[in-house]
Short mmCIF file of all heavy atoms in Angstrom, two decimals:
data_model
loop_
_atom_site.label_atom_id
_atom_site.label_comp_id
_atom_site.label_asym_id
_atom_site.label_seq_id
_atom_site.Cartn_x
_atom_site.Cartn_y
_atom_site.Cartn_z
N GLN Z 205 115.97 77.81 99.01
CA GLN Z 205 114.93 78.64 98.47
C GLN Z 205 114.69 78.16 96.97
O GLN Z 205 115.65 77.99 96.27
CB GLN Z 205 115.14 80.05 98.58
CG GLN Z 205 115.29 80.63 99.99
CD GLN Z 205 114.05 80.36 100.83
OE1 GLN Z 205 112.89 80.55 100.31
NE2 GLN Z 205 114.22 79.90 102.01
N PRO Z 206 113.48 78.11 96.56
CA PRO Z 206 113.24 77.84 95.12
C PRO Z 206 113.82 78.91 94.18
O PRO Z 206 113.91 80.11 94.61
CB PRO Z 206 111.73 77.80 94.96
CG PRO Z 206 111.17 78.48 96.17
CD PRO Z 206 112.23 78.40 97.23
N GLY Z 207 114.27 78.48 92.90
CA GLY Z 207 114.72 79.43 91.95
C GLY Z 207 113.61 80.18 91.31
O GLY Z 207 113.84 81.24 90.72
N LEU Z 208 112.47 79.62 91.37
CA LEU Z 208 111.28 80.21 90.77
C LEU Z 208 110.05 79.83 91.49
O LEU Z 208 109.93 78.67 91.90
CB LEU Z 208 111.07 79.73 89.20
CG LEU Z 208 109.92 80.25 88.44
CD1 LEU Z 208 109.89 81.82 88.34
CD2 LEU Z 208 109.82 79.58 87.16
N THR Z 209 109.18 80.71 91.79
CA THR Z 209 107.85 80.37 92.44
C THR Z 209 106.71 80.98 91.61
O THR Z 209 106.76 82.16 91.24
CB THR Z 209 107.84 81.08 93.80
OG1 THR Z 209 109.05 80.55 94.58
CG2 THR Z 209 106.61 80.71 94.70
N LEU Z 210 105.66 80.22 91.51
CA LEU Z 210 104.39 80.58 90.82
C LEU Z 210 103.30 80.61 91.81
O LEU Z 210 103.10 79.52 92.45
CB LEU Z 210 104.19 79.77 89.54
CG LEU Z 210 105.16 79.68 88.47
CD1 LEU Z 210 104.57 78.80 87.31
CD2 LEU Z 210 105.46 81.06 87.93
N THR Z 211 102.63 81.71 91.87
CA THR Z 211 101.46 81.67 92.83
C THR Z 211 100.02 81.68 92.14
O THR Z 211 99.13 81.52 92.76
CB THR Z 211 101.57 82.92 93.75
OG1 THR Z 211 101.59 84.10 92.90
CG2 THR Z 211 102.75 82.93 94.71
N ARG Z 212 100.17 81.93 90.84
CA ARG Z 212 98.95 81.86 90.03
C ARG Z 212 99.21 81.55 88.56
O ARG Z 212 100.31 81.73 88.17
CB ARG Z 212 98.21 83.25 90.19
CG ARG Z 212 98.98 84.38 89.61
CD ARG Z 212 98.29 85.64 89.59
NE ARG Z 212 98.59 86.48 90.81
CZ ARG Z 212 97.91 87.50 91.20
NH1 ARG Z 212 96.89 87.96 90.44
NH2 ARG Z 212 98.22 88.20 92.24
N VAL Z 213 98.17 81.04 88.01
CA VAL Z 213 98.20 80.68 86.48
C VAL Z 213 96.99 81.18 85.95
O VAL Z 213 96.04 81.53 86.55
CB VAL Z 213 98.47 79.17 86.32
CG1 VAL Z 213 99.81 78.60 86.90
CG2 VAL Z 213 97.32 78.33 87.04
N GLN Z 214 97.00 81.22 84.59
CA GLN Z 214 95.81 81.57 83.77
C GLN Z 214 94.73 80.52 83.97
O GLN Z 214 93.54 80.89 84.16
CB GLN Z 214 96.10 81.67 82.33
CG GLN Z 214 95.06 82.35 81.49
CD GLN Z 214 94.94 83.77 81.79
OE1 GLN Z 214 95.89 84.47 81.94
NE2 GLN Z 214 93.65 84.27 81.78
N ASP Z 215 95.13 79.26 83.90
CA ASP Z 215 94.06 78.24 83.99
C ASP Z 215 94.76 76.87 84.29
O ASP Z 215 95.93 76.76 84.05
CB ASP Z 215 93.36 78.05 82.55
CG ASP Z 215 92.15 77.19 82.66
OD1 ASP Z 215 91.54 77.10 83.70
OD2 ASP Z 215 91.77 76.62 81.59
N VAL Z 216 93.96 75.92 84.98
CA VAL Z 216 94.51 74.60 85.18
C VAL Z 216 93.41 73.60 84.67
O VAL Z 216 92.23 73.76 84.91
CB VAL Z 216 94.69 74.31 86.67
CG1 VAL Z 216 95.18 72.92 86.95
CG2 VAL Z 216 95.64 75.40 87.32
N GLN Z 217 93.85 72.69 83.82
CA GLN Z 217 92.92 71.62 83.32
C GLN Z 217 93.50 70.26 83.69
O GLN Z 217 94.77 69.94 83.46
CB GLN Z 217 92.86 71.68 81.81
CG GLN Z 217 92.25 72.93 81.29
CD GLN Z 217 90.79 73.15 81.60
OE1 GLN Z 217 90.03 72.15 81.59
NE2 GLN Z 217 90.30 74.30 81.99
N PHE Z 218 92.72 69.42 84.23
CA PHE Z 218 93.10 68.04 84.56
C PHE Z 218 92.53 67.07 83.58
O PHE Z 218 91.32 67.23 83.18
CB PHE Z 218 92.67 67.71 85.95
CG PHE Z 218 93.37 68.39 87.05
CD1 PHE Z 218 92.74 69.65 87.58
CD2 PHE Z 218 94.49 68.01 87.69
CE1 PHE Z 218 93.36 70.33 88.56
CE2 PHE Z 218 95.16 68.74 88.60
CZ PHE Z 218 94.66 69.88 89.03
N GLU Z 219 93.20 65.98 83.17
CA GLU Z 219 92.62 65.04 82.32
C GLU Z 219 93.37 63.64 82.42
O GLU Z 219 94.57 63.59 82.97
CB GLU Z 219 92.66 65.51 80.81
CG GLU Z 219 94.00 65.80 80.29
CD GLU Z 219 94.07 66.24 78.88
OE1 GLU Z 219 93.82 67.55 78.77
OE2 GLU Z 219 94.20 65.54 77.98
#
Side-chain angles (χ1 to χ4, degrees):
Q205 298 299 319
L208 176 66
T209 303
L210 300 181
T211 57
R212 61 175 96 191
V213 291
Q214 188 72 38
D215 191 26
V216 180
Q217 298 291 322
F218 292 93
E219 61 185 81

